[in-house]
Amino acid sequence: MKILASALSLAVVLGSATAQTARAPAQWTLWGSLTGETVYLPGISLGISRTVGQLGALDLSVRGVLDVVLIPASESPIPLPAPLLGADVLFSGPVGDLTVYGGPGVGTFLGDAFWVSGTAGLRDSFGEGRWGYFGEVKARYAWAQASNLTPGVRLGLTYRF
């Protein structure tokens, strides 16, 4: 949580301290990435977000995400795909040429486990086009039969429209 709070504070301070050009935020963004859960579980991630407003100098977005992570199973010779469905509230703002974002989230593993999470990341676009890239870190605190904290990363592409 300290990393998330630091990233948001930095975005507010630097965003208000620098002269900014007028920008119209994209209303919708598609997110696609490779993901790593608890450092060693690989997967893919697909998401869609919508800008819903502003809070001071920060844009406010809501993002839905589907992660499909490969989980080793003792009775199977191959890892099994595990769908993780979540939603994030993202606060974002410019810091130099990059956009810093972060926020809380919630989710479920098909109703068997639930979590609360925090996400912090950086994103930018390729030139003036609609395509971009991002990198983020996340932490989920999940509970089902036992509680655990799972860190993870996402590295991928965005498309804004």
Side-chain angles (χ1 to χ4, degrees):
M1 277 318 256
K2 288 182 180 182
I3 293 173
L4 177 60
S6 297
L8 289 175
S9 297
L10 180 65
V12 170
V13 170
L14 292 178
S16 63
T18 59
Q20 298 178 17
T21 59
R23 61 183 170 89
Q27 293 297 312
W28 292 93
T29 303
L30 292 175
W31 305 70
S33 67
L34 297 176
T35 187
E37 196 69 34
T38 63
V39 182
Y40 62 90
L41 299 175
I44 59 170
S45 180
L46 298 172
I48 187 165
S49 66
R50 172 140 171 80
T51 303
V52 294
Q54 287 195 311
L55 184 61
L58 299 176
D59 291 334
L60 176 62
S61 300
V62 177
R63 175 175 71 175
V65 179
L66 171 65
D67 291 332
V68 178
V69 179
L70 296 176
I71 296 180
S74 59
E75 63 275 352
S76 174
I78 59 170
L80 301 174
L84 308 171
L85 188 60
D88 301 314
V89 175
L90 300 176
F91 301 91
S92 62
V95 176
D97 291 338
L98 295 174
T99 299
V100 175
Y101 64 92
V106 295
T108 183
F109 172 61
L110 298 179
D112 289 335
F114 298 92
W115 69 79
V116 293
S117 62
T119 300
L122 299 170
R123 70 177 186 212
D124 197 9
S125 60
F126 294 115
E128 298 296 322
R130 295 175 182 252
W131 287 96
Y133 58 93
F134 73 99
E136 68 184 40
V137 294
K138 58 188 166 136
R140 294 180 175 147
Y141 182 77
W143 63 92
Q145 295 173 343
S147 300
N148 62 359
L149 181 66
T150 58
V153 296
R154 288 186 183 115
L155 301 170
L157 300 173
T158 60
Y159 182 78
R160 297 172 169 195
F161 57 101

